[in-house]
Amino acid sequence: MRNKPIDFLGTTIQPGESTTIEIPVSKLYTHTEVNVPVHIFHGKTSGPSVFITAAIHGDEINGTEIIRRLMDHKSLKNIKGTLYAVPIVNVFGFLNRSRYTPDRRDLNRMFPGDDKGSLAGRIAKILSKNVIDKCDLGIDLHTGSNHRSNLPQIRACCVDEETRAIADSFNAPVVINTNIRDGSLRAYASEKGIPMLLYEAGEALRFDEASIQIGIKGVISVLRHMGVLRRSTKKPRNKPLYIEKTVWVRADVSGIISFKASIGQAVEKGDVLAVIVDPFSEFERIIKSPATGLIIGGLELPLVHEGEALFHIARTGRADEIETLLEETLSVEDFRYA
Ligand SMILES: [Zn+2]
């Protein structure tokens, strides 16, 4: 069925058109306008409306790059339905290379937002009202924070069949069935009955090529699954590993770390993960794995205070088999655009 024109903040977008619209947010104190740019692809044929968002945490730039490269993807010219791509949600954090907004709020705890509230609350409201409320599905792109990197993974609430099927279609190496945090975009989408995936991959303020390419392929696969893009007859390479329980391994002393394990590695309970020393080698503390599983995230900075998280381990008995698959999946040379 032919699509109808849509109105976005006073601009009419005709079926078959794509355009970038700047949503005004506020001004810098230099008098410079700050806008959240939204790129809209409005297909000739009707279909689902999907949003893709990145940099809600302003320093998580892998997702911005995923969206930038997706915009050039030729198949997006023939979509069914409407795609809203928001590469930089937290424009202030992106400018300041910071996770937070200038009022030191975590934008991903401020949904649904309040147009008379804090700056973060106002941005949340702008996104909710103008983009999220119009959609049937969403994908929010993130990275690890605070010098931690994540193995490419989907986080979703997989209790409902529909979300699980969408999570499957992204074809990330790992899917973690996670609870929803209050005030997050995912909590807001869930209240509205909009299924949503959160893609976590790589580290803040860095581009990670494997994470970017798995992200691009994943978003395209989801769009195919939803019928926004023409369905592919190719079978996905691997089924993701579903994880119900994860455990954080923390430093029990402060010091300098020598890492003995890395992200994507299978470990058994009792395996040595790291050794913490001091600058004079007067003490040495061996950190062992408390569980058998797969390392899905870890610290990249080798300096820690007591209590800091060192590794994130997904509890699974299938880690060995997954480790082998990951070696293939994360090999960047292996990647082709979908
Ligand atoms: Zn994040």
Side-chain angles (χ1 to χ4, degrees):
M1 209 169 70
R2 192 170 163 78
N3 235 343
K4 294 193 174 94
I6 51 167
D7 177 80
F8 194 92
L9 288 168
T11 301
T12 303
I13 305 164
Q14 298 293 339
E17 274 185 4
S18 71
T19 188
T20 302
I21 300 209
E22 307 277 346
I23 311 180
V25 178
S26 173
K27 278 185 177 176
L28 297 177
Y29 40 65
T30 55
H31 198 70
T32 309
E33 293 273 357
V34 177
N35 302 310
V36 173
V38 181
H39 195 86
I40 303 166
F41 293 86
H42 190 47
K44 282 184 183 160
T45 314
S46 61
S49 293
V50 177
F51 71 83
I52 308 167
T53 46
I56 275 192
H57 293 135
D59 58 353
E60 299 185 1
I61 63 175
N62 260 342
T64 306
E65 180 64 5
I66 290 171
I67 294 180
R68 188 188 72 78
R69 294 196 203 173
L70 265 173
M71 299 292 92
D72 288 339
H73 206 279
K74 55 183 185 310
S75 61
L76 291 184
K77 288 192 172 62
N78 298 312
I79 70 164
K80 285 183 180 170
T82 310
L83 179 66
Y84 296 86
V86 192
I88 308 159
V89 176
N90 180 0
V91 185
F92 289 94
F94 196 81
L95 279 168
N96 294 330
R97 301 170 189 181
S98 163
R99 177 179 179 85
Y100 303 106
T101 49
D103 55 355
R104 299 214 283 181
R105 312 255 176 164
D106 183 333
L107 182 49
N108 207 24
R109 302 289 177 273
M110 301 302 292
F111 284 88
D114 177 356
D115 48 21
K116 296 273 182 289
S118 66
L119 176 60
R122 291 172 192 223
I123 300 171
K125 186 69 187 178
I126 283 168
L127 188 73
S128 312
K129 190 171 71 181
N130 293 297
V131 177
I132 313 303
D133 289 358
K134 296 173 177 166
C135 290
D136 306 300
L137 168 80
I139 306 172
D140 190 24
L141 307 169
H142 287 254
T143 74
S145 64
N146 214 6
H147 305 293
R148 280 179 202 88
S149 188
N150 281 328
L151 180 79
Q153 58 195 260
I154 287 292
R155 295 185 187 174
C157 189
C158 299
V159 280
D160 77 279
E161 294 275 316
E162 189 188 5
T163 308
R164 192 174 170 115
I166 298 164
D168 259 350
S169 71
F170 194 101
N171 204 27
V174 174
V175 177
I176 304 174
N177 187 13
T178 48
N179 291 328
I180 291 175
R181 291 207 183 177
D182 286 350
S184 66
L185 174 54
R186 208 148 68 87
Y188 179 69
S190 164
E191 258 169 46
K192 291 268 168 182
I194 305 166
M196 215 194 104
L197 304 182
L198 192 148
Y199 176 61
E200 278 275 357
E203 189 186 356
L205 297 174
R206 301 279 182 273
F207 281 166
D208 176 69
E209 193 56 30
S211 299
I212 291 167
Q213 294 204 26
I214 291 172
I216 294 168
K217 286 181 72 125
V219 171
I220 286 171
S221 296
V222 171
L223 295 177
R224 283 185 174 146
H225 171 83
M226 294 293 293
V228 175
L229 296 179
R230 198 159 2 120
R231 287 201 170 84
S232 169
T233 46
K234 274 192 240 160
K235 284 194 97 176
R237 283 209 307 191
N238 310 308
K239 266 260 181 204
L241 171 69
Y242 274 82
I243 298 291
E244 295 295 331
K245 284 205 172 101
T246 67
V247 57
W248 281 98
V249 184
R250 294 183 182 276
D252 50 7
V253 289
S254 302
I256 297 167
I257 308 176
S258 169
F259 291 108
K260 305 294 178 197
S262 55
I263 294 167
Q265 189 177 323
V267 289
E268 292 200 3
K269 188 175 177 178
D271 282 356
V272 175
L273 299 178
V275 179
I276 304 179
V277 294
D278 75 354
F280 310 105
S281 297
E282 284 177 358
F283 79 83
E284 185 181 272
R285 182 67 59 95
I286 292 171
I287 306 292
K288 292 183 177 174
S289 179
T292 292
L294 183 74
I295 300 178
I296 56 166
L299 193 63
E300 299 284 358
L301 181 75
L303 310 172
V304 282
H305 287 117
E306 182 179 329
E308 277 192 64
L310 301 176
F311 290 98
H312 195 195
I313 297 178
R315 290 179 184 270
T316 173
R318 291 178 55 209
D320 280 329
E321 148 200 355
I322 296 298
E323 186 188 55
T324 316
L325 287 176
L326 280 173
E327 278 163 16
E328 291 168 32
T329 312
L330 297 179
S331 148
V332 170
E333 297 75 43
D334 229 28
F335 271 94
R336 302 281 179 278
Y337 278 101

